[in-house]
Amino acid sequence: MGKIKTIGILTSGGDAPGMNAAIRAVTRAGIYNGFNIKGIYRGYEGLINDEVQTFSTENVSGIVTRGGTILKTARSKEFMTPEGMQKAYETIVKEEIDALVVIGGNGSLTGAWKFGVEYDMPVIGLPGTIDNDLYGTDNTIGYDTTMNTIMECVDRIRDTANSHERIFFVEVMGRDAGFLAQNCAIACGAEAAIVPEEATDVDQLAQFMSRGIRKSKKSCIVIVSESPKCGALYYADRVKKEFPEFDVRVSILGHLQRGGTPSARDRILASITGVGAIEAIKQGQRNCMIGVRNNEVVYVPFSECIRTDKRFDKRLIKVLDELSI
Ligand code: F6P
């Protein structure tokens, strides 16, 4: 591959607050360093369908404050097929794109990796997901904002829970990872968290109830990681059946967790990694995600960052346990 002149950028998978700040950073740092930047709309779908626009610095003006993604996003099934990838590559050739920056989570970066290897082109990833489940970076873009959003919601729920002396099961996002649930439980002063990393059975809940929560407290909040089989509704039902004396309610926060203006931390992380992506391309890096670990910018090979074993610090379980008496 010859000299890199043009860099394509896309957002893919679930949107996350701070993606716009990342788009802005890649665009501005790219132009600053003499590259042409092309925005690709609707993730890999836009790459397949040639929805591409040349970006100038004006295209990314005023977006650092905005949630969502100006490039739109999609979860493309077609891109995961050889035919879909081939169509995407045809757009790359037609648009004369020499390197690609993909902002997204686990699935999106898996696609980025396959594409980069298959077509031998430089592909760089930025960690854009509220779930914080990408290995090799301390935080992902969107995670901090979402924690703050959840915290604000749960604080409100606490007011009504206190007033009615109720138990609330609050379901939060996170797919297969408990980062949001565990940390938000600590931040909100919740009484417990139910996370995919730790088995929770009804005996544990019974033990928790028998701590005499209602004797010493006015309300009880349990933060539950979403799960198709045993989310907040499942646990609430079981508690209702086995402890009919408790007044139980469920609140599923849903997609409101993904919207909103990004926090300072997310804007800064997006800006640093966005600039890092351009630097990585200049250095000839490929097939890696730009992360920040211990305040250092790091290049994490795609094969590493999509590992499924990134787990929150187990010491947080003890913190929550000791503080929720
Ligand atoms: O990956 C981000 C995320 O918000 C997950 O936490 C959640 O499981 C999923 O996306 C929801 O996806 P969708 O918006 O497609 O329903």
Side-chain angles (χ1 to χ4, degrees), residues 253-265:
L253 299 187
H255 286 80
L256 69 79
Q257 295 164 89
R258 284 223 303 249
T261 185
S263 66
R265 275 182 187 280

Side-chain angles (χ1 to χ4, degrees), residues 61-76:
S61 276
I63 66 169
V64 75
T65 58
R66 283 162 55 189
T69 158
I70 59 158
L71 284 176
K72 316 289 181 198
T73 186
R75 298 188 196 279
S76 176

Side-chain angles (χ1 to χ4, degrees), residues 14-15 75 129-131 173-176 180 226 255 258:
D15 61 309
R75 298 188 196 279
T129 167
I130 64 165
D131 300 343
M173 282 188 169
R175 209 180 288 256
D176 302 317
L180 285 172
E226 68 178 358
H255 286 80
R258 284 223 303 249

Side-chain angles (χ1 to χ4, degrees), residues 173 193 272 324:
M173 282 188 169
I272 290 173
S324 61

